[in-house]
Amino acid sequence: MRSLLTASAAATLLFLTGTVPAVADDGDGADRTFTIEDSRITESSGLAASRIHPGIYWTHNDSDDGPYVYAVDSRTGKTVATITMKGVGEPRDVEAISVGPDGNLYVGDIGDNLDGSWDHVWIYRFPEPKRLADATVRATQFDVTYADGARNAEAMMVHPRTGRVYIASKREGGGGLYEGPEKLTAGGANVFRRVGEVPWVTDGAFSPDGKELVLRSYFSARRYAFEDGRLGADHAVSVPLQGQSESVTYTADGSAMMFGSEGEGSEVVRVEVEGGGGGGGESSPNGGGGGTSSEDGGEDGVSKKGTATGGAVAVVVIVLALIAAKRRRG
């Protein structure tokens, strides 16, 4: 769920201290940086690359929209299919979408804006349509609970090899990575158990080979080695400057990551992955390897190069004043 002041402060910080990563367009126009043109999509909160339709990305609104999923063509930014899910309850706070190795789309109605007030959340599943056209599909609904109590989450990832579902919770001081059962079952609770520690997370995605997991926040991202269901070594990822940074996915071939944001006419930005195929580190802004250096790199992939202008400093002062005023009112 959105946090305007937090996102504004984060975006301002990135503007002051960082440079945005290098981006590139695919030669045939697919999987390139694009703008979502559909006026109905104002809170794109999740992103998943189609496995059967090249250049197509599945997305959805955050809340107050209904049981809808949209297929957007990266070559044009236009919606080419609107899927209406039936057989599920009224969605509350849809935050994530992922494609499983079984050919199904998984939709995570996992947000909890009151930070743990709901005793269960939901995952919806339906086959990825073979034909891109408006359609109504029957989805299976799965109840989800956490072994250590209810919590807020915005990231849900389906492993591309095992099909196991993972959720990363969202807390300001850091959350947890939760592993679902080997197979989800309808008609009963699917208990997710904590298997790792993660930072503040707004979305995540597995590389197509399943060997890496990228987790993003409002102004940073990290890639983790992933083996036997557990997080390994991690390093920073260069991220684009976006106003409300909410989503990330790999391209279907693993050659790049796509970073999305909320807002009307929001942009989805392609960031190259060194080596392609979901293997090596990401390209840095100067064309070198992934990670940061002591000379021009910073924590969480934010470069230390660049100086603040007077206008930028003013923006920081305004944002901090707004935050302070909000706390006083609280």
Side-chain angles (χ1 to χ4, degrees), residues 4-188:
L4 181 58
L5 289 176
T6 302
S8 298
T12 302
L13 177 62
L14 183 56
F15 173 75
L16 289 174
T17 62
T19 57
V20 296
V23 298
D25 290 344
D26 187 84
D28 65 0
D31 299 319
R32 63 182 182 181
T33 294
F34 65 95
T35 298
I36 296 176
E37 302 289 348
D38 194 331
S39 61
R40 297 171 298 173
I41 306 174
T42 59
E43 294 183 320
S44 175
S45 192
L47 201 64
S50 171
R51 296 298 187 266
I52 58 178
H53 303 292
I56 299 299
Y57 288 84
W58 295 98
T59 190
H60 53 81
N61 280 313
D62 188 333
S63 57
D64 301 324
D65 184 39
Y68 307 118
V69 176
Y70 306 92
V72 180
D73 191 334
S74 61
R75 288 162 286 242
T76 64
K78 297 185 182 300
T79 298
V80 292
T82 300
I83 304 301
T84 303
M85 294 181 290
K86 68 176 182 179
V88 302
E90 184 67 26
R92 266 187 317 214
D93 192 354
V94 180
E95 293 286 356
I97 189 168
S98 186
V99 181
D102 54 4
N104 285 313
L105 280 167
Y106 291 72
V107 181
D109 190 358
I110 57 175
D112 186 343
N113 203 34
L114 299 178
D115 198 21
S117 63
W118 296 325
D119 61 1
H120 71 279
V121 291
W122 300 303
I123 293 173
Y124 313 124
R125 186 184 70 190
F126 63 90
E128 182 175 10
K130 291 182 172 59
R131 188 172 70 91
L132 291 174
D134 293 352
T136 298
V137 302
R138 178 165 293 279
T140 303
Q141 177 173 301
F142 302 99
D143 291 350
V144 169
T145 62
Y146 300 94
D148 54 358
R151 58 204 58 246
N152 187 27
E154 293 191 4
M156 179 205 68
M157 301 75 60
V158 181
H159 194 275
R161 293 290 184 262
T162 67
R164 202 157 196 161
V165 182
Y166 294 83
I167 293 174
S169 65
K170 176 185 176 184
R171 291 187 65 86
E172 191 167 350
L177 180 68
Y178 289 82
E179 181 182 71
E182 186 175 354
K183 293 186 180 299
L184 298 178
T185 58

Side-chain angles (χ1 to χ4, degrees), residues 179-201:
E179 181 182 71
E182 186 175 354
K183 293 186 180 299
L184 298 178
T185 58
N190 294 273
V191 180
F192 279 62
R193 304 184 185 280
R194 195 178 187 113
V195 295
E197 305 303 313
V198 298
W200 176 288
V201 174

